[in-house]
């Protein structure tokens, strides 16, 4: 007799999404839903909760039907690299400006992967930084300093 093993990560993630969707439905049950043409305050939360419910049912079903594939070991390098990147951006954005903070965040985040090649990351970082400046400062006119001066 063989015992059936579930894919616990998928099953638990699916159940979590189902619980979030149920909580959203419970929290918005008194709000008017309306229609797509005339949306009420409960329309979008319920629409998002419905999407979460669908994903939750998918992952829970997959977790029940599929055997456990195993969980890979936790890799500290990506966690620390991305965390340091976000922290550097938060610390630099006000003092050094958007351009320097964005470029620093991209260069630090590149350290999270052993596959990153800095001769490729530098032009990528410059293009993304220019895009961020154009989007946030020029197009959206947000009051963010580009440079520290």
């Amino acid at each position: 007799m063989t015992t059936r093993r579930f894919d616990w990560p998928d099953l638990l993630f699916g159940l979590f999404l189902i619980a979030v969707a149920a909580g959203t439905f419970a929290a918005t049950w008194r709000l008017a839903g309306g229609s797509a043409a005339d949306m009420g305050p409960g329309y979008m939360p319920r629409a998002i909760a419905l999407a979460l419910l669908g994903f939750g049912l998918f992952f829970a079903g997959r977790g029940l039907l599929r055997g456990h594939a195993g969980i890979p070991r936790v890799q500290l390098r990506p966690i620390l690299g991305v965390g340091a990147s976000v922290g550097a951006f938060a610390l630099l954005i006000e003092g050094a400006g958007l351009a320097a903070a964005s470029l620093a965040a991209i260069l630090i985040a590149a350290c999270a992967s052993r596959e990153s090649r800095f001769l490729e990351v530098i032009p990528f970082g410059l293009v993304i930084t220019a895009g961020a400046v154009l989007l946030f400062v020029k197009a959206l006119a947000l009051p963010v300093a580009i440079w520290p001066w």
Side-chain angles (χ1 to χ4, degrees), residues 43-62:
Y43 186 86
M44 278 310 291
R46 287 188 197 133
I48 293 170
L50 190 60
L52 280 179
L53 180 64
F55 282 117
L57 290 172
F58 169 77
F59 280 108
R62 189 169 81 169

Side-chain angles (χ1 to χ4, degrees), residues 73-123:
R73 281 184 353 126
V74 173
Q75 302 292 320
L76 287 180
R77 184 179 181 141
I79 293 171
L80 295 175
V82 172
S85 172
V86 172
F89 183 85
L91 291 173
L92 291 173
I93 187 67
E94 286 187 30
L98 178 63
S102 296
L103 187 59
I106 291 167
L107 293 177
I108 294 170
C111 296
S113 172
R114 295 182 197 277
E115 299 171 2
S116 296
R117 290 187 283 262
F118 279 100
L119 293 178
E120 295 173 356
V121 172
I122 290 172

